[in-house]
Amino acid sequence: MTIPDFDPHATALRLLRSEAPARIMGAPQDWPRWEVLLPHVLAATDQIGETGHLSLPGLGREQAVQECSWLLDRAAAFLRVHGRPGEARPLAERALAIDEAAYGLDHPDVGAALSNLAHILQDLGEMADARRLVERALAITEAAYGPGHPTVGAVLSNLATILTDLGELADARSMTERALAIDEAAYGPDHPNVGTDLNNLAQILQNLGELADARRLAERALAIDEAAYGLDHPDVGTDLNNLALILRDLGELADARRLVERALAITEAAYGPDHPTVGTRLNNLAVILRDLGDPATRGAAVQRPKDQPGRSDWAPRAANEEST
């Protein structure tokens, strides 16, 4: 009788992978589970080197390597969504290194890891490096799936948000319009991925001064997300915030105030009072109140109001998970 190969690290990775929710962004119902699992994921993946070395041979090792990189990637996404990009970065870098060692430089899973690491670098303000990674991810994804695949649309959308931050609005607009066309063809006009594209395109049009069209797209994005998620979802909070800033630019300050106050309440309930996004909402509310002449804001130091791009949570990893 042959005794099967056994590795406690591989077993721990497999069990954690079976318990960990795949979707992070836009899935607040799963965050408490991740909060519980996170320290165990960090402990289990800490036993694995950047080459994914395990004592198991063959298929057992390959599966464990996939589970390790997946867990690192998802843990990084959880930390990023909760305003901890500095902690997320080394996890995402390890996930990328493991995938490159396991699959080579041009595998779709490497493209996914590149795109997700780029999210984190964007949050850290490292735009040039974020752009380089997403451009590489786009080339890999287009070669693997073809130019009209929804995964390509997701990477295009993510690259467009970086270009928007860099002020390259014409290129950002072109990429977002392409992502929107891909997603509408793949999912239909009322899918949340379409809402993300509409939200991002509305931000670009706002920056270009095309406020009427920006408002129309932002209102459509809000309607899609409210229908898909309900009235109190974090993505709805993002939509409300961004629509409020368009209304501010249009001079509709009372409505802008109402929307950003609702966005603030949703965001505080989802993330807690100390999350960076709550700070953004508070700042935006302060700007609008100042514009309304609220005496409480007189002399207060406020920053330029900030909209918030929608981002695809992750590019689907070909060997592990389908798009969510």
Side-chain angles (χ1 to χ4, degrees):
M1 176 175 140
T2 301
I3 299 175
D5 293 306
F6 173 78
D7 187 298
H9 298 153
T11 301
L13 292 169
R14 183 172 65 254
L15 292 173
L16 287 166
R17 170 66 182 87
S18 69
E19 289 294 319
R23 190 164 180 237
I24 307 295
M25 184 171 287
Q29 70 278 4
D30 291 329
W31 295 344
R33 185 62 178 154
W34 259 106
E35 196 73 56
V36 171
L37 291 174
L38 182 62
H40 304 287
V41 168
L42 296 179
T45 55
D46 193 51
Q47 304 298 317
I48 312 298
E50 288 191 356
T51 61
H53 176 73
L54 282 169
S55 59
L56 288 175
L59 293 177
R61 177 187 176 279
E62 182 179 346
Q63 180 181 356
V65 167
Q66 290 175 0
E67 288 161 349
C68 181
S69 65
W70 188 93
L71 287 165
L72 285 166
D73 179 270
R74 296 293 79 207
F78 176 79
L79 290 169
R80 179 179 66 83
V81 165
H82 287 82
R84 298 157 67 182
E87 296 172 65
R89 179 179 188 162
L91 304 186
E93 289 173 338
R94 285 184 60 209
L96 173 60
I98 289 171
D99 284 344
E100 288 181 326
Y103 307 124
L105 299 182
D106 298 321
H107 192 277
D109 281 5
V110 172
L114 287 164
S115 187
N116 295 341
L117 176 56
H119 279 318
I120 295 165
L121 297 184
Q122 184 178 10
D123 289 347
L124 290 169
E126 300 181 23
M127 296 299 172
D129 286 340
R131 177 181 188 164
R132 176 178 54 83
L133 294 187
V134 177
E135 287 176 338
R136 186 179 155 205
L138 179 60
I140 291 170
T141 306
E142 285 186 315
Y145 299 122
H149 194 276
T151 304
V152 173
V155 180
L156 282 167
S157 180
N158 295 342
L159 178 54
T161 67
I162 295 170
L163 295 180
T164 300
D165 286 347
L166 289 169
E168 300 182 22
L169 298 179
D171 287 341
R173 178 178 189 166
S174 175
M175 289 189 178
T176 305
E177 288 173 340
R178 184 180 158 200
L180 176 60
I182 291 171
D183 286 342
E184 285 186 319
Y187 303 118
D190 299 321
H191 191 277
N193 287 11
V194 172
T196 295
D197 298 328
L198 291 166
N199 182 40
N200 292 345
L201 185 54
Q203 177 188 346
I204 295 165
L205 295 181
Q206 180 188 9
N207 290 336
L208 289 169
E210 301 179 24
L211 296 179
D213 286 340
R215 177 181 188 162
R216 175 178 55 82
L217 297 184
E219 288 175 339
R220 185 178 158 202
L222 175 60
I224 288 171
D225 285 344
E226 286 183 328
Y229 299 128
L231 300 182
D232 298 321
H233 190 275
D235 286 5
V236 172
T238 296
D239 297 334
L240 289 164
N241 175 81
N242 295 350
L243 178 56
L245 298 185
I246 294 169
L247 295 181
R248 173 185 179 262
D249 287 352
L250 287 166
E252 301 182 24
L253 296 178
D255 286 339
R257 174 181 182 170
R258 175 179 56 82
L259 294 187
V260 83
E261 286 176 338
R262 186 178 155 205
L264 174 61
I266 291 170
T267 306
E268 283 188 312
Y271 297 120
D274 298 322
H275 192 278
T277 304
V278 173
T280 297
R281 303 280 186 267
L282 286 167
N283 180 77
N284 292 349
L285 177 58
V287 170
I288 293 168
L289 291 175
R290 184 189 61 191
D291 292 345
L292 284 165
D294 189 320
T297 65
R298 194 167 297 143
V302 294
Q303 301 174 353
R304 183 178 64 85
K306 298 177 182 178
D307 44 24
Q308 182 178 0
R311 299 177 188 164
S312 299
D313 178 30
W314 60 317
R317 303 166 65 85
N320 302 4
E321 189 75 19
E322 294 180 356
S323 179
T324 54

